[in-house]
Amino acid sequence: MPSNIVFKRGFASTVYKLDTLAFVESAGGKISPSSLSSLNAANQIGKPVTAVVFGPGGESIAADVSKIPTIQKVIQVKGDKYEHYLAEELAPTLKEIIQSSSYTHFLTSASAVGKSVLPRLGALIDSQPVSDILKVVDDSTFVRPIYAGNALATVKSNESVILASVRASAFTPVDATGGSAAIEEFSSSAESGSRTEFVSEELLTSERPELGSATRIVSGGRGLKNKETFDELLEPLATKLNAAIGASRAAVDSGFCDNSLQVGQTGKIVAPELYIAVGISGAIQHLAGMKDSQTIVAINKDPESAIFNVADIGLVGDLNQIIPELTEKL
Amino acid sequence: MSTKLRVLVPVKRVIDFAIKPIINKTQTGVETKGVKFSMNPFCDIALEESIRLKEKNKDLVELIHAVSIGPSKAQDVLRTALAKGADSTTLVDVGDEEVEPLTVAKMLKQMVERQNANLVILGKQAIDDDSNQTGQILAGLLNWPQATNASKVEVDGDFVSVTREVDGGANTLKAKLPMIITTDLRLNEPRYASLPNIMKAKKKPLEKLKPQDLGIELVKRLETVKVEAPAERPKGIMVGSVDELVSKLKERKAI
């Protein structure tokens, strides 16, 4: 688009700041692990990184973010309206921040919040976002998965403000200590006029590591037959390994566990050090969510299961015998 | 008296979900010749939801209009939509070009205006480009409320409550019409079109437009440099017992 190129040239000669703005999310009073991973991707773009923190609980989070050595500056946006990270409220304010300081890049983790807000921001600033990047090639070129991870596309963005979401499992989290970035408050004059109201939430409480950032995952599928067997077999094994519990779509649909534990193209994308797939056949949609794990173990009674094609170690047999035995011997 | 719903359901024609795509020799995309195409599964769910809204309350839904932006063959998915229960359809024929979500959303905005729609239900993502963007961009362009990853939709007068799948659980949002909803897998189980309905669908309206008719130019903001296969995992081993499994895990320092 020729007009775009002209705009870019003008832009480069008049504006000296070429920074990356990174959206940092918190959960349970802490910086979310996926945001720490997205900050690593932000560093790889090679420009100074400013972090932006929203919400009423933002003060302690902003203080935590300021300790990340690679952050130049933290922008804190206060206000109750940001409490639930509604895209309707976040997007206009982000647009204001981006345009007030002429940021060239905006990054968020590809979390549920990130996926909701990024494209809406794209609409407001007329920029086509890049979803779920796995790799930063240079400041405008990224690798991202398409077709459930069966192909990797290298895409170059010609936008004057590049918007991208980051696949957390593809980047190691940044160090969160040792820095002392300045914290600035930003008061937005943007009125979203939002008609969206937050009603309630039901979050799964668990003592286990969070699925998206766990180093070990024990995951169950249809082969576990019912919720009782799912819990009975997987809970002790996960406890022994200090692992998170995951599931295939079939297990979730059959009510064995909560939706938010689904691993796959449309659920969580994970890449732990160890992934133990129990009674999971290995549909391409499931593989899309876990095939970058370091070590994959598959335990299934059907030797023809597709899961064995990606497993480093496979064991064919009866789950009801194998899993308790494995739990005991670990 | 509450507002009647005029629902717009965008549907995309994609390579069937069960097929493993093969990357073409020039590394510019995936092979499409002789490959089975179907309606994107999430779009199917979006369509099903709009039909269920209508079936639950006949007075509530005035119209379900399905639209597809794609090649002329995308007519097939629109005929499927008509057979399942859409009232009318539009094909915006863009030829074989892949159209980016921002451009698709701009065309959909025009369609919203043409159809005077007050509810748009879309799939949360297309299983080919996996962008998960179009619904949110459209909501931004229209400045309408958005509820992504819906697992439950309830209409009460001019208000719509949507339960959404989010990281760590679920949350519920409520918004006043007009609004945008994107569907998650668990929203519903789409129906199959019956043979009589497939026959009837041939007589239902299918309007054909070009992007120019909507005043939209097909521009590309992102350039695909190349498309390649992901690195293959080294071949694994099969073990015969739990003891062997444990010792192999120790060897790999996985435990």
Side-chain angles (χ1 to χ4, degrees):
Chain A
M1 204 172 78
S3 62
N4 203 14
I5 294 162
V6 174
F7 175 68
K8 260 178 117 173
R9 281 187 191 135
F11 186 86
S13 62
T14 52
V15 176
Y16 61 94
K17 256 184 112 181
L18 296 168
D19 291 10
T20 299
L21 184 68
F23 171 64
V24 175
E25 223 181 298
S26 70
K30 282 192 190 150
I31 304 170
S32 80
S34 61
S35 286
L36 291 173
S37 296
S38 68
L39 288 172
N40 184 356
N43 292 338
Q44 292 183 21
I45 287 171
K47 296 178 174 184
V49 179
T50 299
V52 60
V53 175
F54 283 89
E59 259 154 52
S60 71
I61 300 297
D64 288 348
V65 176
S66 72
K67 296 189 187 102
I68 298 170
T70 53
I71 301 289
Q72 303 285 314
K73 188 170 84 177
V74 184
I75 295 176
Q76 194 193 339
V77 193
K78 291 180 178 170
D80 290 344
K81 62 177 181 178
Y82 303 113
E83 190 179 355
H84 301 292
Y85 292 131
L86 294 182
E88 290 86 333
E89 300 291 356
L90 292 175
T93 306
L94 285 168
K95 175 187 174 182
E96 227 187 331
I97 297 172
I98 287 168
Q99 294 183 340
S100 66
S101 290
S102 303
Y103 289 97
T104 54
H105 292 73
F106 170 79
L107 255 61
T108 170
S109 85
S111 62
V113 171
K115 284 174 180 169
S116 174
V117 71
L118 182 84
R120 191 166 180 117
L121 176 62
L124 302 188
I125 63 172
D126 195 34
S127 173
Q128 169 60 56
V130 184
S131 294
D132 221 13
I133 60 172
L134 299 172
K135 198 173 152 194
V136 176
V137 178
D138 61 39
D139 63 5
S140 61
T141 314
F142 310 94
V143 177
R144 62 174 303 266
I146 53 175
Y147 293 93
N150 282 294
L152 300 177
T154 303
V155 293
K156 186 173 165 48
S157 172
N158 298 313
E159 301 287 19
S160 54
V161 182
I162 292 174
L163 308 178
S165 61
V166 177
R167 176 173 289 191
S169 63
F171 295 87
T172 50
V174 291
D175 246 329
T177 51
S180 58
I183 303 173
E184 273 177 26
E185 216 177 296
F186 184 90
S187 327
S188 167
S189 57
E191 259 310 321
S192 68
S194 171
R195 304 183 301 278
T196 313
E197 195 189 315
F198 179 89
V199 180
S200 62
E201 68 184 349
E202 264 178 78
L203 297 181
L204 196 66
T205 49
S206 168
E207 301 287 299
R208 299 195 184 285
E210 194 256 329
L211 182 58
S213 55
T215 54
R216 290 169 178 175
I217 295 171
V218 174
S219 209
R222 200 196 305 268
L224 287 157
K225 297 280 190 279
N226 55 50
K227 181 170 168 44
E228 289 67 41
T229 323
F230 188 94
D231 293 342
E232 210 171 288
L233 293 183
L234 298 193
E235 293 276 354
L237 179 58
T239 304
K240 195 83 171 249
L241 288 165
N242 189 28
I245 289 184
S248 69
R249 187 192 166 195
V252 169
D253 283 351
S254 310
F256 299 177
C257 65
D258 191 79
N259 296 348
S260 59
L261 299 188
Q262 187 188 328
V263 171
Q265 183 183 19
T266 68
K268 280 271 182 350
I269 314 279
V270 299
E273 285 162 22
L274 176 62
Y275 188 92
I276 304 182
V278 181
I280 292 176
S281 63
I284 57 174
Q285 290 79 12
H286 185 76
L287 301 184
M290 46 65 80
K291 67 186 164 75
D292 293 322
S293 306
Q294 269 171 43
T295 296
I296 298 173
V297 173
I299 301 167
N300 203 303
K301 70 168 194 253
D302 176 10
E304 302 299 319
S305 289
I307 192 79
F308 289 120
N309 298 332
V310 300
D312 300 291
I313 310 170
L315 177 57
V316 176
D318 181 4
L319 307 174
N320 295 300
Q321 283 161 18
I322 290 173
I323 304 303
E325 189 185 341
L326 177 61
T327 307
E328 195 198 306
K329 287 181 172 161
L330 280 171
Chain B
M1 153 107 200
S2 58
T3 320
K4 282 210 169 196
L5 294 178
R6 291 181 60 88
V7 191
L8 186 73
V9 184
V11 291
K12 186 176 184 181
R13 176 182 180 264
V14 298
I15 291 183
D16 191 86
F17 75 95
I19 288 168
K20 191 180 157 127
I22 312 281
I23 291 156
N24 65 19
K25 288 203 176 66
T26 51
Q27 292 204 316
T28 51
V30 306
E31 280 299 344
T32 53
K33 268 200 192 129
V35 175
K36 185 186 174 196
F37 278 78
S38 319
M39 187 189 293
N40 180 45
F42 292 99
C43 303
D44 204 358
I45 292 167
L47 178 67
E48 177 68 27
E49 193 63 18
S50 63
I51 299 165
R52 287 189 189 190
L53 283 174
K54 188 173 178 175
E55 285 174 343
K56 235 188 282 172
N57 185 347
K58 277 216 168 3
D59 294 330
L60 181 66
V61 179
E62 184 183 328
L63 179 84
I64 299 169
H65 188 87
V67 54
S68 194
I69 295 164
S72 52
K73 280 185 181 159
Q75 280 183 64
D76 298 351
V77 300
L78 289 174
R79 288 285 172 215
T80 305
L82 289 166
K84 290 187 183 211
D87 299 301
S88 53
T89 56
T90 302
L91 170 70
V92 184
D93 192 335
V94 292
D96 289 328
E97 276 301 302
E98 254 309 310
V99 188
E100 291 168 357
L102 182 61
T103 310
V104 168
K106 285 178 179 176
M107 289 195 239
L108 292 177
K109 180 174 183 258
Q110 296 302 313
M111 286 304 302
V112 164
E113 282 157 15
R114 276 172 78 101
Q115 293 296 327
N116 194 20
N118 54 8
L119 179 64
V120 186
I121 310 182
L122 308 86
K124 76 163 176 181
Q125 77 193 62
I127 58 163
D128 52 0
D129 73 4
D130 282 335
S131 289
N132 193 329
Q133 294 180 358
T134 305
Q136 298 90 304
I137 298 177
L138 179 61
L141 293 174
L142 290 161
N143 196 26
W144 285 8
Q146 68 183 52
T148 52
N149 304 358
S151 58
K152 191 175 170 192
V153 174
E154 284 176 319
V155 181
D156 180 11
D158 288 348
F159 288 88
V160 184
S161 290
V162 179
T163 301
R164 312 166 55 227
E165 294 194 8
V166 295
D167 300 335
N171 69 23
T172 303
L173 303 180
K174 187 176 170 186
K176 193 165 190 263
L177 288 168
M179 82 176 297
I180 307 285
I181 296 170
T182 76
T183 62
D184 216 318
L185 275 173
R186 269 166 292 273
L187 182 58
N188 59 49
E189 190 81 41
R191 71 194 62 195
Y192 290 96
S194 66
L195 188 58
N197 285 342
I198 292 170
M199 300 312 288
K200 274 186 223 155
K202 292 185 177 164
K203 291 188 185 119
K204 285 191 182 178
L206 197 161
E207 169 195 40
K208 287 178 194 169
L209 297 177
K210 291 276 182 196
Q212 302 87 283
D213 299 325
L214 298 172
I216 307 286
E217 221 182 305
L218 298 182
V219 285
K220 277 218 185 276
R221 310 291 195 89
L222 306 179
E223 187 189 321
T224 301
V225 181
K226 66 177 169 196
V227 174
E228 44 192 346
E232 270 192 46
R233 291 187 72 92
K235 207 169 158 37
I237 52 157
M238 296 301 285
V239 293
S241 68
V242 171
D243 287 323
E244 213 183 324
L245 170 60
V246 173
S247 78
K248 289 290 174 196
L249 281 171
K250 283 182 180 152
E251 245 172 65
R252 292 179 67 103
K253 297 194 169 44
I255 50 168

